[in-house]
Amino acid sequence: MNSANYLYLSALLFTIGAVGVVIRRNAIVVFMCVELMLNAANLSFVTFSRINGNLDGQVVAFFTMVVAACEVVVGLAIIVTIYRSRRSASVDDANLLKR
Amino acid sequence: MINYALELGQTAKPEALLFYILAPLAVAAAIGMLVVKKAVHSAILLAWVMVTLAIFYIAQDAAFLGIVQIVVYTGAVMMLFLFILMLVGVDSSESLTETIKGLRWIAITASIGFGGLLISLLGRASLGRTTAGLADANSNGNVEGLAQLIFSDYVWPFEVISALLITAAVGAMVLAHHERTVKRVSQREQSQARFRSGSLAAAAGLPGPGVFALHNAVDVPALLPDGSPAPSSISATLKARGDMLDSTQYQLDNNDNAAEDK
Amino acid sequence: MTSNLIVYLIAIPLFSSAVLLLSGRKANKWGHLLGTLASASSFGVSAYLFTQMLAQPAEDRAMTQKLFSWISVGSFNVDASLLLDQLSICFVLLITGVGTLIHIYSISYMSHDLDRRRFFAYLNLFIAAMLLLVLGDSYLNLYVGWEGVGLASYLLIGFWNEKPTYATAAKKAFVMNRVGDLGLSLAIMIAFASMGTVSFAGIKEAAPQASTTTLTAIGIMLLIAAAGKSAQFPLQAWLGDAMAGPTPVSALIHAATMVTAGVYLITRSNFIFDAAPTAQLLVVIVGAITLLFGAVIGTAKDDIKKALAASTMSQIGYMTLAAGLGPVGYAFAIMHLLTHGFFKAGMFLGAGSVMHGMNDEVNMRKYGALRKFMPITFITFGLGYLAIIGIPPFAGFYSKDMIIETALNAGGIKGILLGSAALFGAGLTAFYMTRVMILTFTGTKRWDDDAHPHESPILMWLPMAILAIGSVVSGFLFTRGDALVHWLEPVVASHGHEEHSELLPPIVVSGIALTIVLIGISIAVMMYVRRPIEDVAPENVSALTRIVRQDLLQDAANEAIFMRPGQALTKTLIAVDEKVIDGAVHGVGAMAIGSGSELRKSQTGYVRSYSALILVGAAAIVLGIWVITQ
């Protein structure tokens, strides 16, 4: 089987995740879509590792997971903080950037 | 037909079969994430995508990452997501009508262009390339091979990543921390306030969960089987202090009145 | 020959000036003494250097001193070097000598002025700058001194700048000098561009190879410079107003030294003018016009200082005329410059002495009969008067006679025209100087009751007396055996008289000149001795007199030709600036604001719209890669 299939799948999942970030309003869902994008990238790394025959890609994927974990912790904390002050988890309600 | 199946079995290894079954499911789940209304459903679909990916990792000789994917993502990260969903309201469903004019079309057009071009590029870049395989790299075992790399070539990024993890934990604590502006009311003060406010019956606290009651029951006489109140069911102390409520309004005959009073 | 002493000529007064300016009020008690001492020391050094020069043969007399390498850019090297040759030493002795006398005079003259220390600081600054001007060995070094004397002149004309008219006069002098300075800087640039050097020696070497056009261009630019500094036509208008400064300043700067810098410049550049006949002809024309112009103005002036200023202008016209007549004229120009330095400085000091005794009154119609009250002033002024109108054997006779002769011998119709102009100028000089003498010292007293004329103190009359002696004997000394002509020969390369045919024998020329001078005197006597003199200038006079009283309309001409069009140009430029440039600037601003407020509408504040833009951007980048790698 051609390893490139995994790359196509990765690109597809990444694009779906990007669309989700743009069109969903619930901050938690947006976040989950970001996670989806990260996972898609990870799939690419793992596939590259296999194509090239060394483990460097897997190491990078491992690091990506750690970074994603950090991101989830901080991001969810931010969501909770926003929710506490605005009673809403919708990203459209946090639009103070306009003024 | 049988020939075709045999041929499929020969040319496409079990991995191909796995891929062609799981990949459409993963894509379907991912698309489902975008269209379901409830965040919890999205989370479950995402968990499915992640499990699928874990299977793909293992299929691609990345056993360690596959396990980590299940443990860290589907285990820890998704649980974290679900916790937060509990906090902000598990049943809050989101209207899927777009509020920003034209945004959805922009997003879909751009993403089709983006994904299409990306796949086209990938095809151009990787088609016809042979896969080296990880048989050599994993000869000592996948975990040992990764450990070898992480603690030699990648030790500096590893240290930096660990520092980042600590920082993220501290950051989350800082964000969650709530500065108290008034003095915390102690249990003792709460109890004193209870006893000093109005009727002593209030001191008994509210009725426990699962009890149908309009008010605290200790000061109300129980009803006998014939529907009349039984004053003897009240503590003598309460009766002596005059805290006992009149229970005539709870008599069966007066039920209509009682409903009116309320 | 080199000498390490030359720099001290400049350094001493410069240092003294710095001390006086920086030390503030503490130096009020001794500032004037330090200033005088600095000037006198400079004179001492120059006298010592002069004796050293005398001990050398004529070819070896020039001394140089390299101070430091000033500009070194590629092949362009200018050293800050000093050159003391036969021409420079004449000026150095005049500047430091007359300068010291005027310093002494000023001690007394300025004794009531609160700012006397500042005055002496400026005077020392002027001495230093003027010495740098005549000692520089290149046009660039000269230029530094040239600007320095301009600055000192500006500061001193406006010394009493609390009076707006005086401040304006200083400004006028400065601005008109700048026109000349522009000419000098252009001359330096042309010289550098065409010959690659700016030193006197270098240009002298390169001049024979240069084209006549280049040399003519340099010559004309130098002439403009000289006209600005020496108040020659058409840049002459500032000199009369420059009399706003204290009288010692008028004597030192605007009679004896600075205004003659133009003549020095032309004489120093003899190698350029000798090779550029057109420029030389222009020099002659400018000189002739100015000598008549100044003399005519002088006939109608009632202000004693302005009358003397007009006379200065006229006498420098003589010098310029002589300098323009080529190799034969340079020495006579310098000679007249030196004798004029004596008698004109002496007369200005005399005028200052009269003003000192008359409550600073300058109107000669308010004088009269001062001979009895100021005998010493009368005698010294009178000796200067006899010298300037050219009565033998006083100094002016020798020098002016030589110029008239040279002009007449210039050849052909040119010679006759120039000679007649010079002769007519001599007659006019006799007329207006006699008028000054009569109005001031003879006749009946016309001064106000509160004036108490008295003789000036010794510190004032002693310098006047020394200068008077100079105006009596200097002409004789310079011409005895052609002393000055031979002295200057190595510098100006004079070819002597023999090359020119003589139109008239010298004795006849002298006779004609004397006759014309006597006619001028008699007319003045008839007009001002026979008839009573009014206190106020009469109004019912001819149109010609009125024009002359207005300085031959020089200011009106300047206003009509330069000021009005300049103002119109400025107004146009302001309008253009406001409409076009400001319009463009404001338009750009308005455009930025407008487009900004339009673009602001795209800033919804919604995170999702920003992330959509990121997605579009990413798609665009991928598209770019896709297209490139095709």
Side-chain angles (χ1 to χ4, degrees):
Chain A
M1 195 198 98
N2 195 339
S3 297
N5 289 340
Y6 288 111
L7 298 179
Y8 299 143
L9 174 66
S10 159
L12 217 49
L13 291 178
F14 188 91
T15 310
I16 292 167
V19 176
V21 170
V22 176
I23 66 171
R24 291 304 295 253
R25 274 199 297 271
N26 188 332
I28 297 168
V29 178
V30 169
F31 227 116
M32 286 193 274
C33 289
V34 172
E35 289 300 312
L36 181 62
M37 290 164 79
L38 282 165
N39 271 291
N42 265 356
L43 179 61
S44 285
F45 279 125
V46 170
T47 311
F48 288 143
S49 166
R50 188 185 186 201
I51 291 175
N52 291 324
N54 59 42
L55 292 175
D56 288 4
Q58 292 189 15
V59 174
V60 176
F62 174 69
F63 286 152
T64 311
M65 282 183 189
V66 180
V67 173
C70 299
E71 184 222 337
V72 166
V73 169
V74 176
L76 290 178
I78 291 172
I79 289 173
V80 169
T81 314
I82 291 175
Y83 183 78
R84 214 152 50 186
S85 64
R86 313 201 134 231
R87 290 281 141 203
S88 161
S90 167
V91 288
D92 283 359
D93 288 342
N95 63 351
L96 289 176
L97 215 58
K98 189 161 56 175
R99 282 181 290 276
Chain B
M1 186 71 192
I2 294 170
N3 280 346
Y4 177 74
L6 283 173
E7 201 186 348
L8 192 74
Q10 278 171 359
T11 54
K13 293 168 221 166
E15 190 194 343
L17 198 62
L18 189 73
F19 181 82
Y20 287 122
I21 292 169
L22 288 182
L25 287 177
V27 171
I31 291 173
M33 262 180 78
L34 306 187
V35 296
V36 296
K37 279 189 174 182
K38 290 201 171 186
V40 174
H41 296 168
S42 280
I44 289 165
L45 286 168
L46 180 60
W48 167 245
V49 175
M50 284 174 172
V51 169
T52 317
L53 289 182
I55 295 169
F56 286 150
Y57 290 170
I58 294 168
Q60 295 202 74
D61 297 337
F64 176 70
L65 280 185
I67 302 302
V68 168
Q69 171 86 359
I70 290 174
V71 171
V72 171
Y73 268 113
T74 31
V77 171
M78 288 321 297
M79 284 311 113
L80 206 52
F81 270 113
L82 289 173
F83 269 130
I84 302 301
L85 279 173
M86 295 295 173
L87 272 180
V88 304
V90 69
D91 52 353
S92 66
S93 64
E94 176 190 346
S95 158
L96 285 181
T97 42
E98 184 53 64
T99 48
I100 303 176
K101 211 173 73 183
L103 184 74
R104 182 163 292 173
W105 293 113
I106 289 173
I108 289 170
T109 314
S111 61
I112 287 174
F114 176 78
L117 289 169
L118 201 58
I119 287 170
S120 162
L121 274 176
L122 282 172
R124 232 193 267 159
S126 59
L127 282 181
R129 207 162 186 231
T130 54
T131 303
L134 287 170
D136 286 347
N138 280 345
S139 56
N140 290 331
N142 180 243
V143 178
E144 284 82 350
L146 276 179
Q148 181 75 32
L149 273 178
I150 287 175
F151 295 110
S152 59
D153 291 357
Y154 291 91
V155 70
W156 177 239
F158 181 74
E159 297 292 342
V160 174
I161 285 281
S162 49
L164 177 69
L165 200 55
I166 295 285
T167 315
V170 174
M173 276 191 264
V174 168
L175 284 170
H177 181 66
H178 210 40
E179 202 69 47
R180 184 173 287 282
T181 51
V182 292
K183 191 172 169 284
R184 183 193 169 108
V185 185
S186 68
Q187 213 172 358
R188 178 187 173 84
E189 287 159 348
Q190 284 177 349
S191 151
Q192 283 172 348
R194 245 192 339 263
F195 276 90
R196 279 172 188 161
S197 67
S199 98
L200 193 64
L206 292 170
V211 174
F212 178 75
L214 292 174
H215 53 83
N216 202 343
V218 282
D219 53 349
V220 181
L223 294 179
L224 292 172
D226 64 343
S228 61
S232 60
S233 68
I234 304 293
S235 156
T237 318
L238 285 178
K239 202 191 293 179
R241 280 154 70 162
D243 274 338
M244 191 181 73
L245 286 185
D246 180 23
S247 66
T248 48
Q249 53 176 324
Y250 303 114
Q251 285 177 9
L252 279 178
D253 298 338
N254 292 340
N255 260 359
D256 293 341
N257 296 342
E260 270 174 27
D261 286 343
K262 289 291 158 185
Chain C
M1 192 172 126
T2 60
S3 170
N4 291 331
L5 279 176
I6 305 177
V7 69
Y8 293 110
L9 288 172
I10 302 170
I12 296 171
L14 192 64
F15 176 73
S16 158
S17 168
V19 168
L20 292 181
L21 282 176
L22 296 176
S23 57
R25 253 179 241 135
K26 281 174 289 184
N28 274 357
K29 276 185 192 159
W30 44 267
H32 50 283
L33 298 178
L34 176 67
T36 312
L37 187 68
S39 180
S41 325
S42 212
F43 177 66
V45 174
S46 55
Y48 171 72
L49 287 169
F50 180 54
T51 56
Q52 271 201 326
M53 284 175 91
L54 283 177
Q56 300 285 332
E59 310 83 52
D60 297 337
R61 279 177 180 154
M63 297 187 223
T64 56
Q65 180 181 7
K66 183 186 166 183
L67 299 179
F68 53 88
S69 184
W70 182 18
I71 298 171
S72 180
V73 182
S75 61
F76 181 53
N77 289 296
V78 179
D79 291 335
S81 301
L82 302 178
L83 167 71
L84 184 68
D85 61 3
Q86 288 90 336
L87 178 59
S88 308
I89 193 74
C90 296
F91 276 86
V92 170
L93 287 171
L94 178 73
I95 295 160
T96 54
V98 175
T100 306
L101 290 176
I102 288 171
H103 272 80
I104 295 169
Y105 178 89
S106 305
I107 293 176
S108 174
Y109 188 83
M110 300 294 286
S111 58
H112 300 301
D113 199 294
L114 291 174
D115 276 332
R116 182 165 64 165
R117 174 185 52 80
R118 189 161 59 89
F119 180 78
F120 274 84
Y122 291 162
L123 273 190
N124 274 343
L125 177 67
F126 168 76
I127 298 268
M130 188 70 202
L131 287 173
L132 178 60
L133 194 162
V134 297
L135 285 173
D137 83 327
S138 72
Y139 282 103
L140 209 56
N141 290 340
L142 179 144
Y143 190 70
V144 177
W146 190 270
E147 294 293 334
V149 294
L151 169 70
S153 161
Y154 167 76
L155 291 171
L156 284 165
I157 294 171
F159 186 73
W160 290 317
N161 53 16
E162 61 270 11
K163 288 195 188 171
T165 50
Y166 289 6
T168 312
K171 229 183 296 177
K172 183 177 178 184
F174 197 72
V175 169
M176 294 198 79
N177 264 301
R178 294 303 308 171
V179 179
D181 297 346
L182 191 69
L184 183 52
S185 54
L186 281 177
I188 294 174
M189 287 177 212
I190 297 172
F192 173 63
S194 58
M195 305 178 199
T197 176
V198 293
S199 75
F200 297 140
I203 292 180
K204 190 173 186 176
E205 255 176 50
Q209 285 88 42
S211 72
T212 315
T213 321
T214 312
L215 291 174
T216 307
I218 298 177
I220 291 173
M221 287 302 149
L222 288 175
L223 174 63
I224 292 174
K229 197 59 88 187
S230 294
Q232 297 293 292
F233 183 82
L235 297 174
Q236 80 287 10
W238 64 271
L239 188 61
D241 294 308
M243 294 303 127
T247 309
V249 173
S250 309
L252 177 62
I253 301 184
H254 305 121
T257 55
M258 186 191 84
V259 286
T260 60
V263 180
Y264 169 78
L265 184 68
I266 293 173
T267 312
R268 178 56 86 188
S269 312
N270 57 70
F271 39 85
I272 290 173
F273 285 100
D274 286 349
T278 317
Q280 209 165 29
L281 182 65
L282 279 174
V283 174
V284 174
I285 293 171
V286 165
I289 292 177
T290 314
L291 85 86
L292 290 175
F293 198 100
V296 170
I297 291 177
T299 56
K301 283 287 171 213
D302 287 339
D303 180 329
I304 186 169
K305 283 180 72 180
K306 291 201 172 170
L308 289 176
S311 149
T312 304
M313 194 191 292
S314 165
Q315 298 302 314
I316 297 172
Y318 273 106
M319 299 172 210
T320 311
L321 171 65
L325 287 171
V328 285
Y330 295 129
F332 301 137
I334 300 301
M335 190 195 298
H336 194 55
L337 192 156
L338 295 174
T339 56
H340 174 256
F342 286 116
F343 59 68
K344 185 53 68 63
M347 288 168 85
F348 260 114
L349 293 189
S353 172
V354 170
M355 286 159 61
H356 192 72
M358 296 291 291
N359 290 346
D360 286 338
E361 177 63 61
V362 290
N363 190 348
M364 290 190 289
R365 290 182 185 275
K366 300 256 183 180
Y367 293 164
L370 290 175
R371 186 178 43 177
K372 291 171 212 149
F373 298 91
M374 303 180 172
I376 302 174
T377 306
F378 169 66
I379 291 168
T380 55
F381 198 94
L383 290 173
Y385 158 74
L386 291 174
I388 194 174
I389 61 174
I391 300 290
F394 298 98
F397 166 74
Y398 294 99
S399 51
K400 199 186 283 182
D401 213 40
M402 290 295 184
I403 293 174
I404 296 171
E405 264 178 46
T406 320
L408 275 173
N409 293 340
I413 188 82
K414 174 183 157 198
I416 294 172
L417 278 176
L418 293 175
S420 329
L423 282 170
F424 185 54
L428 281 174
T429 309
F431 170 76
Y432 69 75
M433 285 316 299
T434 312
R435 175 173 173 268
V436 169
M437 280 301 284
I438 293 170
L439 286 179
T440 307
F441 291 105
T442 65
T444 53
K445 63 171 194 169
R446 298 181 297 276
W447 62 78
D448 298 334
D449 292 337
D450 58 344
H452 303 289
H454 54 84
E455 188 51 84
S456 300
I458 182 167
L459 276 180
M460 283 173 69
W461 66 254
L462 188 67
M464 285 153 59
I466 296 173
L467 289 170
I469 294 169
S471 24
V472 174
V473 299
S474 61
F476 175 68
L477 289 177
F478 290 149
T479 45
R480 198 185 52 168
D482 282 345
L484 191 70
V485 176
H486 289 309
W487 174 257
L488 288 174
E489 230 166 26
V491 181
V492 298
S494 170
H495 302 294
H497 296 259
E498 62 276 5
E499 284 184 12
H500 288 267
S501 58
E502 291 185 348
L503 189 70
L504 293 167
I507 185 75
V508 177
V509 175
S510 303
I512 296 173
L514 264 179
T515 316
I516 291 176
V517 165
L518 288 176
I519 293 172
I521 295 174
S522 9
I523 293 174
V525 169
M526 279 197 293
M527 281 181 71
Y528 295 101
V529 176
R530 298 288 176 80
R531 280 190 272 165
I533 299 156
E534 294 166 44
D535 284 12
V536 185
E539 292 298 323
N540 54 342
V541 289
S542 64
L544 184 67
T545 315
R546 279 202 199 112
I547 291 174
V548 174
R549 276 187 189 161
Q550 290 171 28
D551 299 346
L552 291 175
L553 304 176
Q554 59 184 9
D555 289 330
N558 281 342
E559 278 178 23
I561 297 170
F562 298 108
M563 196 188 88
R564 300 262 156 66
Q567 280 177 336
L569 180 68
T570 313
K571 275 180 192 145
T572 320
L573 286 179
I574 289 173
V576 168
D577 181 56
E578 280 173 353
K579 300 267 162 58
V580 180
I581 296 176
D582 286 5
V585 172
H586 291 157
V588 169
M591 213 167 70
I593 291 172
S595 57
S597 59
E598 284 304 310
L599 279 174
R600 199 175 64 139
K601 287 174 188 164
S602 71
Q603 299 297 316
T604 55
Y606 293 115
V607 179
R608 295 192 299 134
S609 61
Y610 299 135
S611 60
L613 280 178
I614 294 175
L615 183 59
V616 171
I621 290 172
V622 174
L623 177 68
I625 296 170
W626 191 85
V627 169
I628 288 167
T629 58
Q630 193 145 39

